[in-house]
Amino acid sequence: MLAGKRILLIVGGGIAAFKSLDLIRRLRERGATVTPVLTKASEEFVTPLSTSALAGQKVYRDLFDLTDEAEMGHIELSRAANLVVVAPATADLMAKMTAGLANDLASTLLMATDKRVLIAPAMNVRMWEHPATQRNLATLQGDGILTVGPDVGDMACGEHGPGRMSEPLAIVDAVEAALADGPLKGKHVLVTSGPTHEPIDPVRYIANRSSGAQGTAIARSLAALGADVTFITGPADVSPPSGVKVVKVQTAREMKDAVDAALPADAAVFAAAVADWRVENASGSKMKKDGSGKAPALEFAENPDILAGVSQLKKGRPKLVVGFAAETDDVEANATAKRKRKGCDWIVANDVSPETGIMGGSENAVSVISDQGTEVWPRLSKDQVAAKLAKRIAGALA
Ligand code: C5P
């Protein structure tokens, strides 16, 4: 429910703007107040009259509208909301946000706000996949901008692929997650997830089979309980959840830097399958067969143990540090020893032997090991494990 919540809805100029009219209705159905802002381009797709009629509010359109400044200045407008939503977020608006431009009302509000911002990108598939847009997306996610979508599907321009704006109800879900008033409200939790890629040369790398599904589900569940989540992910198969701050990394060392930068945190969950070793003599150019039949010798160096490092921090240690132990033999004994060795509070242990289908699968069978002993959980979906773990974390931080 969104009763009493105020949403500032910036409508970008794309064909998906028509869906924003339905989004206004859906948000209002749940009790939110929606203040719409139209860009010049969006007025080519929706009219101020229809937007205002559906919102039951005045529509804001012009930065230099003196009446508006007399009634409510742009700074106040940007801060009176609980959440700023940009739907559709066009490639142009995303680029403006990335660059910090403030040359119209929408971009100025986005610069001036002190509230969280959720964007629902929508554009042609090639524009979405363009390196510039992907670069901008990574920057925005790193800045803490929340994202929902885009979806994959047929597009108004006749092409097919990612770029469709999420459906209004999915955007409403992301709004609810971003504004969740749960037991973790006000708590900052960082989550690592996915595999790491350790380069051998510019085109080859060492990786593992982690899909990132469990870490992603945990981040989503923590956000649903109201946590402010920083989600640090290696190159995973699954998309990051909406409503969290996403930091994308490749290597273990990048993951460590991202974790250090994200601290302090009230709790930290290390669900990533971090490579223990990196190739010390990685080549700067592509390695080639030299015809001698001799294979190159890779030398390995140990990666920093991120979990152990954070667990053993003398200053600024999160109150709760949770590690994972993916084992193939003697799961409980190994995980119990790992908890002691690393110094974390809980270890979530699971058996990743190929016959369990857990690594890369949708289910997990875990035991949670703490100083209170071992709690064996039944085999559950990864979403259920995440929800149960998030609840346990909320209990520990209460
Ligand atoms: O030692 P092992 O890799 O089995 O430990 C697994 C746990 O430690 C996981 O929580 C994983 O995210 C974390 N880890 C880490 N940094 C590493 C290796 C593992 O944070 N270099």
Side-chain angles (χ1 to χ4, degrees):
M1 281 304 283
L2 293 168
K5 301 291 184 199
R6 290 183 303 275
I7 311 292
L8 184 73
L9 175 66
I10 295 175
V11 182
I15 184 71
F18 80 91
K19 286 204 231 173
S20 302
L21 297 181
D22 190 32
L23 175 62
I24 293 173
R25 284 185 44 222
R26 302 294 183 179
L27 289 167
R28 291 192 69 201
E29 268 169 19
R30 281 163 180 72
T33 306
V34 183
T35 304
V37 174
L38 294 180
T39 62
K40 280 246 156 3
S42 72
E43 290 189 27
E44 302 289 333
F45 298 93
V46 292
T47 68
L49 187 61
S50 53
T51 314
S52 154
L54 282 165
Q57 292 269 333
K58 174 181 168 62
V59 173
Y60 292 85
R61 304 158 63 188
D62 190 358
L63 181 57
F64 300 108
D65 187 324
L66 293 179
T67 325
D68 289 352
E69 288 295 324
E71 283 173 8
M72 186 193 281
H74 62 271
I75 301 288
E76 201 185 332
L77 182 59
S78 74
R79 297 187 185 169
N82 300 104
L83 183 73
V84 180
V85 177
V86 187
T90 57
D92 179 64
L93 258 176
M94 286 176 64
K96 276 187 177 165
M97 290 173 74
T98 307
L101 289 183
N103 59 358
D104 60 8
L105 181 60
S107 53
T108 304
L109 294 173
L110 286 161
M111 283 290 280
T113 189
D114 58 354
K115 297 302 184 320
R116 300 175 92 190
V117 177
L118 170 73
I119 64 171
M123 64 198 75
N124 166 272
V125 56
R126 282 184 201 280
M127 292 173 75
W128 174 250
E129 287 172 348
H130 195 286
T133 304
Q134 290 303 310
R135 236 180 1 250
N136 293 341
L137 175 70
T139 304
L140 292 173
Q141 289 180 327
D143 288 347
I145 302 292
L146 310 173
T147 56
V148 50
D151 292 348
V152 176
D154 291 329
M155 315 198 65
C157 51
E159 289 185 56
H160 181 90
R164 277 170 66 100
M165 187 169 87
S166 289
E167 292 306 319
L169 285 178
I171 301 176
V172 170
D173 285 347
V175 168
E176 283 181 333
L179 291 172
D181 260 341
L184 286 171
K185 182 143 186 86
K187 304 285 184 197
H188 177 214
V189 184
L190 76 85
V191 178
T192 70
S193 180
T196 62
H197 284 182
E198 306 295 332
I200 297 170
D201 68 17
V203 294
R204 305 179 179 97
Y205 55 83
I206 294 176
N208 60 64
R209 296 188 193 281
S210 166
S211 63
Q214 187 63 82
T216 301
I218 292 168
R220 187 180 294 115
S221 294
L222 290 164
L225 295 186
D228 177 8
V229 177
T230 303
F231 181 67
I232 300 166
T233 176
D237 297 342
V238 293
S239 306
S242 54
V244 305
K245 173 174 177 176
V246 181
V247 184
K248 290 186 177 165
V249 298
Q250 296 280 327
T251 67
R253 286 191 292 178
E254 286 171 12
M255 187 171 275
K256 180 189 182 310
D257 289 345
V259 167
D260 289 345
L263 289 172
D266 297 285
V269 181
F270 292 90
V274 184
D276 288 321
W277 298 280
R278 66 178 177 276
V279 180
E280 194 167 35
N281 58 342
S283 168
S285 46
K286 188 179 170 201
M287 291 158 90
K288 297 218 186 311
K289 288 178 278 194
D290 62 7
S292 70
K294 207 167 145 266
L298 298 182
E299 286 163 26
F300 290 90
E302 198 166 326
N303 269 329
D305 190 318
I306 311 168
L307 168 64
V310 171
S311 298
Q312 292 162 29
L313 278 176
K314 295 268 180 297
K315 251 178 74 184
R317 181 192 191 276
K319 182 171 169 207
L320 180 70
V321 180
V322 182
F324 274 68
E327 305 284 347
T328 51
D329 320 276
D330 293 334
V331 178
E332 193 180 332
N334 279 325
T336 305
K338 190 166 289 179
R339 190 181 85 84
K340 291 241 162 60
R341 197 168 62 245
K342 304 228 186 195
C344 56
D345 302 297
W346 304 347
I347 281 271
V348 181
N350 57 1
D351 185 344
V352 291
S353 310
E355 63 274 15
T356 65
I358 284 174
M359 201 98 176
S362 61
E363 291 190 333
N364 210 347
V366 308
S367 299
V368 179
I369 296 163
S370 67
D371 60 1
Q372 306 295 305
T374 302
E375 206 178 287
V376 181
W377 292 3
R379 194 173 170 113
L380 298 167
S381 73
K382 287 185 176 173
D383 287 344
Q384 288 169 321
V385 168
K388 211 165 142 74
L389 189 67
K391 241 172 129 178
R392 207 177 194 277
I393 291 170
L397 293 185

Short mmCIF file of all heavy atoms in Angstrom, two decimals, residues 192 270-272 274-276 304-307 323-324 338 342, ligand 1:
data_model
loop_
_atom_site.label_atom_id
_atom_site.label_comp_id
_atom_site.label_asym_id
_atom_site.label_seq_id
_atom_site.Cartn_x
_atom_site.Cartn_y
_atom_site.Cartn_z
N THR A 192 26.85 -9.14 -1.50
CA THR A 192 27.63 -9.49 -2.70
C THR A 192 26.97 -10.69 -3.36
O THR A 192 26.34 -11.50 -2.69
CB THR A 192 29.11 -9.82 -2.38
OG1 THR A 192 29.17 -11.07 -1.68
CG2 THR A 192 29.77 -8.72 -1.58
N PHE A 270 27.49 -12.00 2.28
CA PHE A 270 28.46 -12.31 1.22
C PHE A 270 28.02 -13.58 0.50
O PHE A 270 28.45 -14.67 0.84
CB PHE A 270 29.86 -12.45 1.83
CG PHE A 270 30.38 -11.13 2.34
CD1 PHE A 270 30.14 -10.73 3.65
CD2 PHE A 270 31.05 -10.27 1.50
CE1 PHE A 270 30.57 -9.49 4.11
CE2 PHE A 270 31.49 -9.03 1.95
CZ PHE A 270 31.26 -8.64 3.26
N ALA A 271 27.15 -13.39 -0.48
CA ALA A 271 26.61 -14.54 -1.21
C ALA A 271 27.39 -14.78 -2.51
O ALA A 271 27.09 -15.73 -3.23
CB ALA A 271 25.13 -14.30 -1.52
N ALA A 272 28.36 -13.93 -2.81
CA ALA A 272 29.09 -14.09 -4.08
C ALA A 272 29.98 -15.33 -4.03
O ALA A 272 30.48 -15.73 -2.98
CB ALA A 272 29.95 -12.86 -4.34
N VAL A 274 33.21 -15.95 -4.95
CA VAL A 274 34.41 -15.18 -5.32
C VAL A 274 35.53 -16.17 -5.68
O VAL A 274 35.75 -17.14 -4.96
CB VAL A 274 34.87 -14.31 -4.13
CG1 VAL A 274 36.04 -13.43 -4.52
CG2 VAL A 274 33.72 -13.47 -3.61
N ALA A 275 36.24 -15.89 -6.76
CA ALA A 275 37.36 -16.75 -7.13
C ALA A 275 38.45 -16.63 -6.06
O ALA A 275 38.79 -15.52 -5.64
CB ALA A 275 37.93 -16.30 -8.48
N ASP A 276 38.92 -17.77 -5.59
CA ASP A 276 39.96 -17.73 -4.56
C ASP A 276 41.28 -17.25 -5.13
O ASP A 276 42.09 -16.68 -4.43
CB ASP A 276 40.13 -19.13 -3.94
CG ASP A 276 38.93 -19.48 -3.05
OD1 ASP A 276 38.45 -18.56 -2.36
OD2 ASP A 276 38.47 -20.64 -3.09
N PRO A 304 42.05 -11.40 -2.31
CA PRO A 304 41.70 -11.01 -0.95
C PRO A 304 40.43 -11.74 -0.53
O PRO A 304 39.52 -11.92 -1.35
CB PRO A 304 41.44 -9.51 -1.06
CG PRO A 304 41.19 -9.25 -2.50
CD PRO A 304 41.94 -10.30 -3.26
N ASP A 305 40.37 -12.17 0.72
CA ASP A 305 39.14 -12.78 1.24
C ASP A 305 38.27 -11.65 1.78
O ASP A 305 38.53 -11.10 2.85
CB ASP A 305 39.46 -13.82 2.32
CG ASP A 305 38.22 -14.63 2.67
OD1 ASP A 305 37.13 -14.04 2.79
OD2 ASP A 305 38.36 -15.87 2.81
N ILE A 306 37.27 -11.29 1.01
CA ILE A 306 36.45 -10.10 1.34
C ILE A 306 35.67 -10.34 2.63
O ILE A 306 35.63 -9.49 3.52
CB ILE A 306 35.49 -9.77 0.17
CG1 ILE A 306 36.27 -9.75 -1.15
CG2 ILE A 306 34.81 -8.44 0.40
CD1 ILE A 306 35.39 -9.73 -2.39
N LEU A 307 35.07 -11.53 2.71
CA LEU A 307 34.27 -11.87 3.90
C LEU A 307 35.13 -11.82 5.16
O LEU A 307 34.75 -11.20 6.16
CB LEU A 307 33.66 -13.26 3.71
CG LEU A 307 33.04 -13.92 4.93
CD1 LEU A 307 31.84 -13.12 5.44
CD2 LEU A 307 32.60 -15.35 4.62
N GLY A 323 28.22 -15.09 5.94
CA GLY A 323 28.96 -15.69 4.83
C GLY A 323 28.23 -16.90 4.30
O GLY A 323 27.29 -17.40 4.93
N PHE A 324 28.65 -17.36 3.16
CA PHE A 324 28.09 -18.58 2.58
C PHE A 324 29.20 -19.62 2.50
O PHE A 324 30.38 -19.27 2.37
CB PHE A 324 27.54 -18.30 1.18
CG PHE A 324 26.11 -17.82 1.21
CD1 PHE A 324 25.82 -16.56 1.73
CD2 PHE A 324 25.08 -18.62 0.76
CE1 PHE A 324 24.51 -16.11 1.79
CE2 PHE A 324 23.77 -18.19 0.81
CZ PHE A 324 23.48 -16.93 1.33
N LYS A 338 34.70 -22.96 8.83
CA LYS A 338 34.82 -21.72 8.03
C LYS A 338 34.32 -20.51 8.82
O LYS A 338 34.91 -19.44 8.78
CB LYS A 338 34.02 -21.88 6.74
CG LYS A 338 34.25 -20.80 5.73
CD LYS A 338 33.73 -21.18 4.37
CE LYS A 338 34.57 -22.26 3.72
NZ LYS A 338 34.07 -22.66 2.43
N LYS A 342 36.88 -17.46 9.41
CA LYS A 342 36.65 -16.15 8.79
C LYS A 342 36.23 -15.11 9.82
O LYS A 342 36.44 -13.92 9.62
CB LYS A 342 35.57 -16.27 7.72
CG LYS A 342 35.93 -17.31 6.66
CD LYS A 342 35.76 -16.78 5.28
CE LYS A 342 35.97 -17.86 4.24
NZ LYS A 342 36.16 -17.34 2.91
O1 C5P B 1 36.46 -19.75 1.49
P1 C5P B 1 35.20 -19.85 0.70
O2 C5P B 1 35.33 -19.30 -0.69
O3 C5P B 1 34.57 -21.21 0.68
O4 C5P B 1 34.18 -18.93 1.47
C1 C5P B 1 32.92 -18.64 1.00
C2 C5P B 1 32.43 -17.36 1.60
O5 C5P B 1 33.46 -16.37 1.60
C3 C5P B 1 31.31 -16.74 0.79
O6 C5P B 1 30.49 -16.00 1.69
C4 C5P B 1 32.05 -15.84 -0.17
O7 C5P B 1 31.23 -14.78 -0.64
C5 C5P B 1 33.17 -15.31 0.71
N1 C5P B 1 34.43 -15.02 0.00
C6 C5P B 1 34.87 -13.73 -0.09
N2 C5P B 1 36.06 -13.46 -0.70
C7 C5P B 1 36.83 -14.47 -1.22
C8 C5P B 1 36.39 -15.79 -1.12
C9 C5P B 1 35.17 -16.04 -0.52
O8 C5P B 1 34.18 -12.82 0.36
N3 C5P B 1 37.98 -14.18 -1.79
#
